[in-house]
Amino acid sequence: MSQPTQRKRLAGDVFRATGGNFLEMYDFMVYGFYAGAIAATMFPSGNEYLSLMLSFVTFGVGFIMRPLGAIVLGSYIDHKGRRKGLILSLSIMAAGVLLIAFTPTYGAIGVTAPILILIGRLLQGFSAGAESGGVSTYLSEIAPKGRRGFFVSWQSASQQVSVMVAAIIGVSLYLSLSAEQVQSWGWRIPFIFGSLLVPFLFYIRRTLQETEEFASREKKKQTPGVKTILVTLGQNWKIIGIAILLVVLTSSMFYLITTYTPTFGERELHLAAIDSYIVSFAVGLSNLIWIPAMGALSDKIGRGKLLLASSTIIGITAYPVMMWLVAAPSFGRLLTALLWFSFLYGSYQGVMVVTLTEMMPANVRATGFSVAYSLAQAIIGGFTPAIATGMIHQFDNTAAPGIWLAMTAVVSLIGAIIAIRSGVVSLGPRREPSTEPVEHQPSNT
């Protein structure tokens, strides 16, 4: 196969793999963007703060299903194949999208409305539990030698496209509808748009080819059963623990600088809604640039250096930057602050995702990645908007989310130090003597 043809095939495989990943994050984004409107129509309580907290808690509850989805769907992916597993996760995800898009309001069906919204979020969380791990595993196994960081980074980069699309729709809604119309029914339009994408995403997922690495193990009858997968995960619990520490920072930071931005900009900074959506678009675009750039850089200089540097700088600057922002809120300051955070997020995330695929034993790569990623998301990420809202309210400090971000940066910095000291992550470029990553055993950690 000629080099141009090879590149075209690989680009097509990346697009088909990340398509469903786009839908997963798109729906998470629009829920967070319109949490206030969903709170008013689905969680009315007579208290604006309480309704918003109920909406954000429902957003976070979906993440609690991620660990279960990681084990069930991750095991399916490791046992049945990357392609089949990604199609299954997309099917469950689509059901959750449709349920949220078309659930009648609380005023129409009463308490059934928030229950259906909750079920939709649980379905999304279950499917998302293995989506990121499955896509990252697929990309790591099709990546050319020496370019794994760049290829795997597109798992996260594709999610940034969803941020941009959701922001564009948000701007369009606020330009074409009144604030009252957006609050009452306009917020459904982004969900309906996501529903319309489902048939196309099914099509591209069905044309996905199985990875050669998995096909080779399947041919040799080396694919593990569920019991073997769970036993192997138990044997590698130290690696799973280190991975969870690494994911903590990205779990909080992503949702803080994307999902939470419109609510923070409107409620706390008292900026126009359209300003927050423009900033969200800029953050998504910035993330899209920095994540693959840093993934590629990590292929050259090593994963460990970037993990240490980015988590340290985030920990030092998070609160001061937030203090500067809230001292004199403006569109310019919000844009500047979040673009700074975006650069640091991209520097960390572009390296972290490929690090997780390299840490995990090959025969349980999808499950191990998914379990670690989903546990951190369930504990930290999904509840970050609620935690940020609660901290602002509790401490009467609009900059309080910066404290939360700094705390999670310290946790992940500790994880990076442990990973480097234990030999799981290298400070220098990773050696790749073969296409099969080294399988770490407990004794090596």
Side-chain angles (χ1 to χ4, degrees):
M1 185 182 297
S2 66
Q3 193 172 36
T5 302
Q6 172 77 354
R7 288 178 179 174
K8 185 177 180 180
R9 183 184 67 80
L10 285 173
D13 286 342
V14 171
F15 174 74
R16 284 185 284 270
T18 57
N21 211 43
F22 165 88
L23 179 63
E24 171 209 334
M25 192 49 60
Y26 170 81
D27 201 51
F28 276 58
M29 284 300 100
V30 294
Y31 187 101
F33 282 3
Y34 300 98
I38 294 172
T41 55
M42 299 295 181
F43 300 92
S45 66
N47 182 306
E48 183 182 358
Y49 170 72
L50 179 58
S51 293
L52 183 62
M53 284 298 289
L54 286 172
S55 183
F56 273 141
V57 168
T58 302
F59 176 79
V61 164
F63 287 79
I64 295 177
M65 288 293 287
R66 282 194 169 204
L68 179 60
I71 294 172
V72 176
L73 296 178
S75 299
Y76 184 89
I77 292 171
D78 279 327
H79 181 59
K80 293 292 186 179
R82 315 314 188 196
R83 175 182 177 275
K84 291 180 179 178
L86 290 177
I87 291 174
L88 178 59
S89 68
L90 177 61
S91 303
I92 299 172
M93 188 191 312
V97 173
L98 292 168
L99 193 57
I100 293 177
F102 297 105
T103 293
T105 66
Y106 184 93
I109 60 174
V111 73
T112 305
I115 291 175
L116 290 177
I117 294 294
L118 177 61
I119 292 173
R121 290 291 302 130
L122 293 176
L123 288 173
Q124 289 172 340
F126 183 81
S127 66
E131 178 70 19
S132 295
V135 172
S136 297
T137 295
Y138 184 90
L139 296 176
S140 73
E141 293 181 357
I142 68 169
K145 185 177 179 180
R147 301 193 67 198
R148 187 178 291 143
F150 176 71
F151 268 70
V152 176
S153 69
W154 284 100
Q155 176 269 322
S156 185
S158 67
Q159 296 178 346
Q160 312 315 312
V161 179
S162 68
V163 176
M164 295 164 63
V165 172
I168 290 172
I169 294 175
V171 170
S172 301
L173 286 180
Y174 278 95
L175 287 176
S176 56
L177 300 176
S178 67
E180 292 74 19
Q181 288 173 321
V182 173
Q183 286 288 109
S184 62
W185 57 268
W187 64 267
R188 294 183 187 272
I189 294 175
F191 288 96
I192 294 172
F193 174 78
S195 302
L196 296 176
L197 292 177
V198 169
F200 170 70
L201 295 176
F202 266 114
Y203 169 75
I204 63 173
R205 274 278 168 96
R206 288 181 64 84
T207 61
L208 199 64
Q209 298 296 313
E210 186 56 81
T211 69
E212 293 182 6
E213 184 176 324
F214 182 86
S216 175
R217 289 203 301 273
E218 187 177 40
K219 186 176 181 180
K220 297 175 183 177
K221 300 187 183 302
Q222 294 177 342
T223 57
V226 175
K227 182 178 180 181
T228 301
I229 290 171
L230 295 178
V231 169
T232 304
L233 288 178
Q235 293 172 341
N236 289 273
W237 64 270
K238 290 184 179 179
I239 291 177
I240 301 294
I242 294 172
I244 291 173
L245 294 178
L246 292 177
V247 181
V248 163
L249 172 56
T250 189
S251 295
S252 67
M253 194 168 193
F254 178 74
Y255 293 103
L256 198 63
I257 68 174
T258 57
T259 308
Y260 187 59
T261 296
T263 300
F264 182 72
E266 290 179 61
R267 283 179 53 88
E268 309 300 340
L269 303 183
H270 307 293
L271 300 177
I274 194 169
D275 288 347
S276 297
Y277 286 111
I278 292 173
V279 170
S280 295
F281 176 86
V283 168
L285 179 60
S286 176
N287 289 347
L288 180 62
I289 294 169
W290 289 118
I291 289 171
M294 292 304 176
L297 181 61
S298 74
D299 286 330
K300 304 296 183 182
I301 70 172
R303 323 292 188 208
K305 295 174 183 176
L306 287 172
L307 290 175
L308 291 174
S310 53
S311 58
T312 298
I313 297 173
I314 292 168
I316 293 172
T317 65
Y319 187 63
V321 169
M322 288 295 291
M323 286 288 289
W324 173 78
L325 169 60
V326 304
S330 68
F331 170 79
R333 287 202 176 201
L334 180 62
L335 179 63
T336 302
L338 290 194
L339 286 180
W340 169 248
F341 286 145
S342 169
F343 165 69
L344 295 176
Y345 168 77
S347 300
Y348 187 84
Q349 177 72 358
V351 184
M352 190 276 297
V353 284
V354 67
T355 299
L356 259 60
T357 66
E358 293 171 341
M359 290 170 62
M360 301 300 166
N363 61 335
V364 293
R365 186 176 290 139
T367 311
F369 184 114
S370 298
V371 167
Y373 206 85
S374 62
L375 281 172
Q377 294 277 5
I379 298 169
I380 302 295
F383 291 100
T384 284
I387 291 171
T389 301
M391 288 181 70
I392 291 172
H393 183 80
Q394 183 68 30
F395 301 128
D396 193 24
N397 181 358
T398 311
I403 301 173
W404 175 245
L405 182 56
M407 290 168 59
T408 59
V410 171
V411 172
S412 288
L413 174 60
I414 293 171
I417 293 172
I418 295 173
I420 293 167
R421 289 176 62 87
S422 63
V424 176
V425 175
S426 173
L427 280 173
R430 178 182 173 86
R431 295 180 179 180
E432 296 186 61
S434 67
T435 58
E436 184 73 12
V438 176
E439 295 191 14
H440 302 284
Q441 297 301 322
S443 59
N444 295 333
T445 62

